[in-house]
Amino acid sequence: SQQGEEDPQALSIQEGENATMNCSYKTSINNLQWYRQNSGRGLVHLILIRSNEREKHSGRLRVTLDTSKKSSSLLITASRAADTASYFCATPGGSNYKLTFGKGTLLTVNP
Amino acid sequence: GAVVSQHPSWVICKSGTSVKIECRSLDFQATTMFWYRQFPKQSLMLMATSNEGSKATYEQGVEKDKFLINHASLTLSTLTVTSAHPEDSSFYICSAPETGMYEQYFGPGTRLTVT
């Protein structure tokens, strides 16, 4: 079963707007990761946040982690058409290196 | 960043034949690689963990005799879909972490169509 559950499942915004995606998970984790997947391609690692971190930034990305609520959010600021993709959260399952992915959020940024 | 390649990027085969997909880490050594399959507009489903020099570990429900995995070197893992059927048609993706790192690097995926 999926460890992470993203919402919304789909999000459509205009260029320049911010996009926020949320992820919930079920078990204790030592890190949570976000990945992007362009249509028909492999995944690209965006950012990793450790369990002892509450917020992390990388360029236009801002990730938060609330371990008490077992949830994380990914904020993309000043979105661009090139940000159109599916975004997945992933958490370690089993061994430290095996990942379980959420269902993903399909983000569409309209020019 | 680290690069993982997959070959082929797409393949069409007939029912009953076998297909081999290669996953290579180009600029780092990967003692562990992961194989996923993905159906349209769905998430990734982990199929198996490929371990260099030892047997692969399969997830529950994945037929190990149908999806043969070989990890013969620190840079190459192969997935062979044996006696393929139309229901095996899917997008197969491999990934690998650098040793000691949590982040995974993904190949571009292989689109398999079984006719």
Side-chain angles (χ1 to χ4, degrees):
Chain A
S1 63
Q2 295 292 335
Q3 162 79 310
E5 296 284 337
E6 287 94 335
D7 84 272
Q9 291 188 355
L11 179 61
S12 181
I13 60 175
Q14 296 300 123
E15 249 185 342
E17 294 180 341
N18 296 340
T20 300
M21 289 158 269
N22 302 296
C23 167
S24 61
Y25 58 93
K26 297 176 182 176
T27 61
S28 296
I29 58 172
N30 58 17
N31 72 84
L32 183 144
Q33 302 175 43
W34 285 90
Y35 288 82
R36 183 188 74 221
Q37 183 181 33
N38 289 86
S39 181
R41 305 299 303 274
L43 278 70
V44 174
H45 180 265
L46 295 176
I47 196 165
L48 178 151
I49 186 166
R50 298 181 186 275
S51 59
N52 60 355
E53 298 176 306
R54 291 296 169 259
E55 187 172 309
K56 197 165 183 179
H57 296 254
S58 177
R60 293 184 296 112
L61 305 181
R62 172 177 168 256
V63 169
T64 63
L65 179 63
D66 187 334
T67 53
S68 66
K69 295 181 179 178
K70 291 186 169 59
S71 67
S72 174
S73 68
L74 170 67
L75 168 67
I76 303 174
T77 60
S79 63
R80 306 166 182 168
D83 294 328
T84 295
S86 291
Y87 292 82
F88 296 92
C89 68
T91 53
S95 71
N96 280 337
Y97 302 108
K98 188 167 73 170
L99 293 176
T100 301
F101 287 83
K103 294 181 178 179
T105 293
L106 175 58
L107 173 66
T108 302
V109 182
N110 301 298
Chain B
V3 179
V4 174
S5 70
Q6 265 183 260
H7 177 81
S9 56
W10 60 271
V11 58
I12 301 173
C13 71
K14 294 187 176 181
S15 285
T17 61
S18 296
V19 174
K20 180 184 286 188
I21 303 170
E22 293 185 348
C23 177
R24 292 182 186 273
S25 56
L26 297 186
D27 50 3
F28 68 101
Q29 294 183 331
T31 55
T32 301
M33 291 183 173
F34 300 96
W35 287 96
Y36 300 85
R37 68 184 296 181
Q38 185 180 34
F39 293 104
K41 299 186 178 181
Q42 293 190 23
S43 187
L44 283 75
M45 182 189 79
L46 179 65
M47 299 175 65
T49 303
S50 174
N51 304 298
E52 188 268 334
S54 64
K55 291 183 179 180
T57 305
Y58 290 83
E59 295 299 303
Q60 191 173 7
V62 177
E63 299 175 61
K64 62 180 181 181
D65 294 330
K66 179 164 187 63
F67 298 100
L68 300 179
I69 291 173
N70 183 275
H71 195 148
S73 78
L74 288 171
T75 59
L76 173 65
S77 174
T78 60
L79 168 68
T80 301
V81 183
T82 62
S83 187
H85 290 282
E87 55 264 34
D88 298 325
S89 298
S90 190
F91 192 56
Y92 292 88
I93 312 175
C94 69
S95 73
E98 287 191 81
T99 302
M101 305 294 289
Y102 290 118
E103 298 89 332
Q104 291 190 17
Y105 299 95
F106 282 79
T110 297
R111 174 80 55 196
L112 170 63
T113 302
V114 184
T115 61

